[in-house]
């Protein structure tokens, strides 16, 4: 049995802190996608995938030289979460360990790539240092004190001696590591009476300063110092700014890091009046920081604001004017401002002219540093995908439906071509008309809406088509009738040729929500499946029931074979059933999944193969004649909600409840064909 070739993915998990990474070669993006690590070429768009995790990836990093990748995952309570080290050049797993409970919060390499440092989540709270070359754990300890909150992020220094920084909920510590003695020593940064929750940590190239974005957003300055220092605090402070000296020294004045200053944004009103007032803060907190050099910094906020800033030196900041109140005056100067459609979770510098920004809305933006012009380069659904459809005679595009919107994609490049949005409503299903000019969609407000493929303008709407949500939609091959199914259990037929789309028939045989509808290729029959355990074959000429297929299951999907002589069904009993359309007899029944409901089924245009997707996240390609599996797809990290063949039969597309879309290459010579050739 072969594993299906994955040739494209439309997915990006933007919820992971610093999940978007740029390889040091400057030509490849690395980011998580469910339980896979995706390596994407910036020039060609080609993708490679690293598979090894059994659950969603929660942390990702690249070594300074780019030889290794590391990724950590989440798992169920009571189980260990795995950390995997990858050989980047060979695209293979170098090693792995599972020493953290439930979740890996963050990972990072030391400068020399010798050690990997991993940070556990709330249920674990520990730091583990792993020897990459020998494949053994070096040392470990708890990341924070009992009186502090959980550490959430970790950053390694560039100092020759291994050292790193951890920060999180009320905790900020600098760590020194002794590889010979296998010990870790943590030094708390002195905050005085100020308490802050840190979102992100970055260090400059010389390890002199650390910048931390917080939930209230600050730039506070710190240095190594023994002695008492007076701290003044103002509510408008927005980020922490520290000065560190990681080198070995006998000078007691640099014994441990403490906070020495605090900065906030200069409001516009203060600039105009040339007065110093309360500083402005970033809405949603400072979520991400990026250092560009020469004192310039990029700030990403929780409301999607991206700004280029600089910290201005002033007498008030240094306290030379003798006024303690001036120590916390705003000194952050904003040069340029942009906005992206979601909370900023990742930022990377690209070719010194652009920055790439990952957001919580699972989108990647490109921002030009000179003009701060924003361009969307990667997008995907942020929640469950409910419907999937190809045009009847076009294989280069397909459409998907999710919460609030319909999206049309180009198959080859995986680029979004069109987005149709109806705010506050959910699109549950869709189909194309015969000439592929109109997208007909079903919505949870009980309406049927038609949109132009060229431009996305709404062409018609059938309001109150069903008393409850419209759950399934299809159209006859001659484009004369639209057939809809609702959560009220009714199947309704509409005149597609008239301007008013008047109702022609109401079919009330089902007692549960309709899960799928399909018209046979000759327009002679219509089949509807329902959660009430029945599939009904209707005469499509007079729309009367011809026969009912009953089973002890909730039917999730059904489809005709191209000849129309048989029907395939699947459902909660995990079975795939073959039925005769002549008399409704059950011909064959095979096990589609061992653990989960089979949610989707589709037959290719030749009738030789069919595709299924189930709750166990496995895509299976079957040979229709022998009912044997000839290919497996294991890339999904969530239950599969839909599947379809391209009209030319070369590609297969599957979608899942986490918003991921996978494009598979159909095997040219499946194993069953080779066996038949040998027998012949």
């Amino acid at each position: 049995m072969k594993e299906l070739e994955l040739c494209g993915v439309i997915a990006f998990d933007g919820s992971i802190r610093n999940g978007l990474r740029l390889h040091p070669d400057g030509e490849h993006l690395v980011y998580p996608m469910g339980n896979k690590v995706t390596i994407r070429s910036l020039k060609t768009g080609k993708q490679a995938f690293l598979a090894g995790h059994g659950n969603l990836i929660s942390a990702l990093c690249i070594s300074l030289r780019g030889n290794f990748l590391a990724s950590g995952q989440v798992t169920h309570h009571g189980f260990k979460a795995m950390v995997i080290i990858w050989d980047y050049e060979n695209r293979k797993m170098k090693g792995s360990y599972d020493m953290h409970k439930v979740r890996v919060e963050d990972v990072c390499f030391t400068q020399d790539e010798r050690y990997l440092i991993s940070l556990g989540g709330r249920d674990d709270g520990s730091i583990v240092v792993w020897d990459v070359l020998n494949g053994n754990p070096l040392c470990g300890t708890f990341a924070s004190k009992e009186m502090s909150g959980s550490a959430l992020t970790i950053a390694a220094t560039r100092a020759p001696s291994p050292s790193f920084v951890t920060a999180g909920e009320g905790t900020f510590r600098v760590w020194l590591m002794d590889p010979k003695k296998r010990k870790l020593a943590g030094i708390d940064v002195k905050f005085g009476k100020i308490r802050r929750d840190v979102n992100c940590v970055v260090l400059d190239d010389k390890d002199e300063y650390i910048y931390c974005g917080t939930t209230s957003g600050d730039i506070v300055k710190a240095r190594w110092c023994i002695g008492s220092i007076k701290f003044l605090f103002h509510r408008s402070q927005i980020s922490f700014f520290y000065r560190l000296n990681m080198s070995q020294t006998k000078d007691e004045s640099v014994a441990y890091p403490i906070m020495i200053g605090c900065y906030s944004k200069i409001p516009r009103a203060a600039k105009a009046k040339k007065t110093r007032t309360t500083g402005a803060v970033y809405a949603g907190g400072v979520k991400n920081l990026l250092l560009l050099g020469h004192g310039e910094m990029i700030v990403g906020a929780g409301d999607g604001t991206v700004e280029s800033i600089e910290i201005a030196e002033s007498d008030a900041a240094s306290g030379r004017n003798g006024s303690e109140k001036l120590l916390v005056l705003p000194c952050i100067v904003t040069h340029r401002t942009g906005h992206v459609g979601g909370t900023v979770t990742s930022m990377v510098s690209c070719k010194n002219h652009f920055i790439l920004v990952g957001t919580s809305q699972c989108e990647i933006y490109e921002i030009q540093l000179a003009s701060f012009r924003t361009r969307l380069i990667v997008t995907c659904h942020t929640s469950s995908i409910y419907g999937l459809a190809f045009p009847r005679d076009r294989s280069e595009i397909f459409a998907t439906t999710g919460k609030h919107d319909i999206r049309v994609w180009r198959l080859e490049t995986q680029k979004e071509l069109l987005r149709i949005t109806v705010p506050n409503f959910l699109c549950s299903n869709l189909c194309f008309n015969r000439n592929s000019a109109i997208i007909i969609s079903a919505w949870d407000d009980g309406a049927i809406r038609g949109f132009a493929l060229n431009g996305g303008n709404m062409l018609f709407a059938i309001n109150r088509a069903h008393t409850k949500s419209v759950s399934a939609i299809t159209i006859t091959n001659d484009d004369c009738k639209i057939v809809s199914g609702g959560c009220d259990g009714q199947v309704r037929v509409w005149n597609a040729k008239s301007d008013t789309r008047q109702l022609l028939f109401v079919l009330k045989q089902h007692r549960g929500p309709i899960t799928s509808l399909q018209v046979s290729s000759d327009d002679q029959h219509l089949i509807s499946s329902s959660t009430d355990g029945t599939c009904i074959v209707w005469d499509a000429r007079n729309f009367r029931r011809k026969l009912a297929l009953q089973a002890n299951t909730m039917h999730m999907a059904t489809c005709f074979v191209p000849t129309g002589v048989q029907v395939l069904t699947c459902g909660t009993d995990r079975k795939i059933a073959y039925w005769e359309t002549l008399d409704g007899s059950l011909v064959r029944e095979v096990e589609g999944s061992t653990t989960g409901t089979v949610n989707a089924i589709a037959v290719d245009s030749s009738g030789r193969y069919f595709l299924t997707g189930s709750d166990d996240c496995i895509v299976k390609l079957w040979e229709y004649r022998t009912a044997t599996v000839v290919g497996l797809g294991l890339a999904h990290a969530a239950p599969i909600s839909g599947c379809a063949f391209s009209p030319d039969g070369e590609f297969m597309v599957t979608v899942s409840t986490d918003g991921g879309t996978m494009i598979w290459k159909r095997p040219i010579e499946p194993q069953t064909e080779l066996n038949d050739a040998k027998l012949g």
Side-chain angles (χ1 to χ4, degrees):
M1 188 183 301
K2 294 183 179 179
E3 186 169 344
L4 296 174
E5 178 185 353
L6 189 62
C7 58
V9 174
I10 304 174
F12 167 66
D13 191 351
S15 63
I16 299 175
R17 184 186 297 109
N18 293 320
L20 177 64
R21 303 279 185 166
L22 181 67
H23 193 268
D25 63 10
E27 298 181 356
H28 293 87
L29 284 178
V30 181
Y31 53 86
M33 185 275 302
N35 59 1
K36 303 290 189 299
V37 177
T38 302
I39 302 174
R40 180 189 181 100
S41 172
L42 288 173
K43 293 182 178 179
T44 64
K46 292 184 178 180
Q47 297 171 318
F49 308 97
L50 305 179
H53 287 286
N55 212 323
L56 298 177
I57 294 174
S58 58
L60 179 69
C61 72
I62 304 177
S63 62
L64 189 62
R65 301 171 188 171
N67 295 323
F68 302 112
L69 306 178
S71 56
Q73 70 172 56
V74 296
T75 186
H76 304 287
H77 284 278
F79 294 88
K80 298 285 188 178
M82 180 181 292
V83 177
I84 297 180
I85 303 170
W86 307 91
D87 185 334
Y88 177 80
E89 184 177 356
N90 298 320
R91 305 291 198 268
K92 293 182 179 180
M93 186 188 302
K94 178 178 176 58
S96 65
Y97 62 92
D98 49 357
M99 302 180 68
H100 294 288
K101 299 177 183 178
V102 183
R103 178 184 176 92
V104 178
E105 198 68 47
D106 205 356
V107 289
C108 73
F109 286 95
T110 55
Q111 182 187 22
D112 57 2
E113 300 182 340
R114 176 68 186 270
Y115 305 106
L116 173 69
I117 308 155
S118 59
L119 176 64
R122 298 178 186 274
D123 299 281
D124 183 76
S126 64
I127 296 172
V128 173
V129 180
W130 186 265
D131 192 328
V132 177
L133 299 181
N134 297 327
N136 297 317
L138 184 69
C139 54
T141 185
F142 288 105
S144 57
K145 297 180 179 179
E146 293 182 358
M147 294 173 34
S148 304
S150 301
L152 301 177
T153 184
I154 188 169
T157 68
R158 291 177 171 81
S161 57
S163 56
F164 57 93
V165 177
T166 61
E169 299 172 346
T171 177
F172 188 86
R173 310 187 82 182
V174 178
W175 297 83
L176 303 176
M177 181 170 55
D178 188 343
K180 294 182 179 179
K181 296 182 179 179
R182 293 176 173 260
K183 290 185 178 181
L184 282 174
I187 306 172
D188 288 311
V189 177
K190 300 300 181 179
F191 281 73
K193 296 181 180 180
I194 294 177
R195 179 180 175 86
R196 280 292 183 272
D197 293 341
V198 178
N199 289 324
C200 57
V201 176
V202 291
L203 293 83
D204 67 352
D205 294 337
K206 298 180 180 179
D207 289 333
E208 288 185 304
Y209 299 99
I210 300 179
Y211 304 85
C212 302
T214 69
T215 54
S216 55
D218 312 300
I219 294 184
V220 180
K221 206 172 183 178
R223 67 182 177 186
W224 295 86
C225 181
I226 289 181
S228 60
I229 295 181
K230 294 183 179 179
F231 296 91
L232 297 178
F233 172 72
H234 200 282
R235 294 181 180 178
S236 62
Q237 300 161 357
I238 58 160
S239 237
F240 291 119
F241 187 21
Y242 300 96
R243 178 182 177 87
L244 300 180
N245 187 346
M246 306 303 296
S247 60
Q248 301 293 331
T249 177
K250 297 181 179 180
D251 187 2
E252 293 185 354
S253 64
V254 289
Y256 56 86
I258 62 173
M259 183 181 65
I260 62 171
C262 189
Y263 304 104
S264 59
K265 291 174 62 177
I266 302 175
R268 293 183 179 180
K271 291 181 181 179
K273 297 179 180 180
K274 297 182 179 180
T275 59
R276 298 287 182 171
T277 59
T278 301
V281 297
Y282 289 99
V286 177
K287 296 294 185 180
N288 209 273
L289 294 172
L290 179 65
L291 301 181
L292 298 180
H294 305 290
E296 187 176 3
M297 184 190 313
I298 305 296
V299 177
D303 64 344
T305 299
V306 181
E307 288 189 348
S308 172
I309 68 167
E310 184 179 358
I311 300 173
E313 293 292 337
S314 67
D315 292 341
S318 60
R320 286 193 292 267
N321 59 3
S323 174
E324 293 182 352
K325 293 183 178 180
L326 297 179
L327 290 174
V328 294
L329 284 177
C331 289
I332 297 178
V333 179
T334 302
H335 296 305
R336 293 174 295 277
T337 301
H339 195 84
V340 295
T343 299
V344 177
T345 56
S346 306
M347 292 193 300
V348 293
S349 178
C350 182
K351 301 179 181 179
N352 298 323
H353 300 293
F354 300 91
I355 60 172
L356 300 178
V357 179
T359 72
S360 60
Q361 295 298 314
C362 302
E363 296 177 331
I364 301 176
Y365 291 84
E366 179 187 79
I367 299 180
Q368 188 177 9
L369 287 176
S371 62
F372 246 59
R373 184 176 300 171
T374 303
R375 183 170 69 96
L376 180 65
I377 59 174
V378 174
T379 183
C380 66
H381 286 281
T382 59
S383 58
S384 180
I385 300 176
Y386 301 103
L388 165 68
F390 273 93
R392 296 180 187 176
D393 55 355
R394 298 178 62 182
S395 298
E396 68 272 14
I397 63 171
F398 65 94
T400 56
T401 67
K403 190 176 183 180
H404 303 323
D405 56 28
I406 298 170
R407 304 193 189 194
V408 180
W409 310 88
R410 183 174 294 279
L411 181 69
E412 182 179 1
T413 61
Q414 296 94 52
K415 296 291 185 180
E416 181 183 302
L417 302 178
L418 176 67
R419 186 183 302 187
I420 302 169
T421 303
V422 179
N424 303 322
F425 294 119
L426 184 149
C427 183
S428 58
N429 208 340
L430 82 165
C431 65
F432 289 87
N433 69 339
R434 185 174 183 177
N435 59 8
S436 305
I438 302 176
I439 301 173
I440 305 169
S441 55
W443 296 80
D444 66 344
D445 63 342
I448 299 171
R449 295 180 174 92
F451 300 93
L453 181 60
N454 185 12
N457 297 324
M458 189 168 70
L459 302 178
F460 67 88
I462 307 175
N463 296 316
R464 301 178 183 177
H466 287 261
T467 57
K468 295 183 179 180
S469 301
V470 184
S471 55
I473 195 79
T474 190
I475 188 171
T476 56
N477 296 295
D478 57 6
D479 280 353
C480 291
K481 299 179 182 66
I482 297 173
V483 184
S484 63
C487 290
D488 54 7
Q490 294 185 7
V491 176
R492 298 190 175 189
V493 184
W494 310 84
N495 188 349
K497 293 296 184 180
S498 66
D499 295 336
T500 58
R501 272 86 183 176
Q502 70 266 25
L503 180 63
L504 299 178
F505 301 96
V506 179
L507 312 177
K508 300 181 179 180
Q509 299 291 326
H510 289 291
R511 296 182 179 180
I514 306 300
T515 55
S516 67
L517 292 168
Q518 190 182 31
V519 179
S520 62
S521 58
D522 57 3
D523 275 343
Q524 297 296 312
H525 299 96
L526 166 72
I527 187 168
S528 59
S529 64
S530 172
T531 58
D532 62 1
T534 63
C535 289
I536 298 179
V537 179
W538 309 85
D539 189 329
R541 292 167 295 185
N542 53 24
F543 288 95
R544 293 183 178 179
R545 189 178 80 170
K546 181 178 178 181
L547 51 90
L549 314 177
Q550 295 186 353
N552 188 22
T553 182
M554 297 172 63
H555 289 294
M556 304 305 296
T558 183
C559 62
F560 285 103
V561 298
T563 58
V565 299
Q566 285 187 342
V567 170
L568 297 179
T569 63
C570 62
T572 56
D573 62 350
R574 307 190 300 273
K575 304 292 185 181
I576 299 170
Y578 292 55
W579 305 82
E580 290 284 352
T581 56
L582 180 63
D583 56 4
S585 59
L586 179 62
V587 179
R588 175 185 287 167
E589 195 173 50
V590 295
E591 189 176 68
S593 172
T594 58
T595 59
T597 299
V598 183
N599 298 316
I601 190 167
V603 182
D604 73 339
S605 57
S606 67
R608 298 182 61 184
Y609 304 99
F610 66 91
L611 192 69
T612 60
S614 55
D615 278 350
D616 59 8
C617 311
I618 299 176
V619 178
K620 293 183 179 181
L621 179 65
W622 304 72
E623 187 183 33
Y624 173 74
R625 181 176 60 85
T626 61
T628 56
V629 179
V630 296
L632 289 177
L634 306 175
H636 280 286
I640 298 163
S641 55
C643 62
F645 283 91
S646 61
D648 59 10
E650 296 296 324
F651 297 94
M652 303 168 291
V653 179
T654 56
V655 295
S656 57
T657 57
D658 62 351
T661 302
M662 309 292 169
I663 302 172
W664 312 86
K665 180 72 174 178
R666 201 191 75 172
I668 298 176
E669 293 182 351
Q671 191 67 36
T672 53
E673 291 185 11
L674 295 177
N675 293 338
D676 291 344
K678 292 178 181 179
L679 293 175

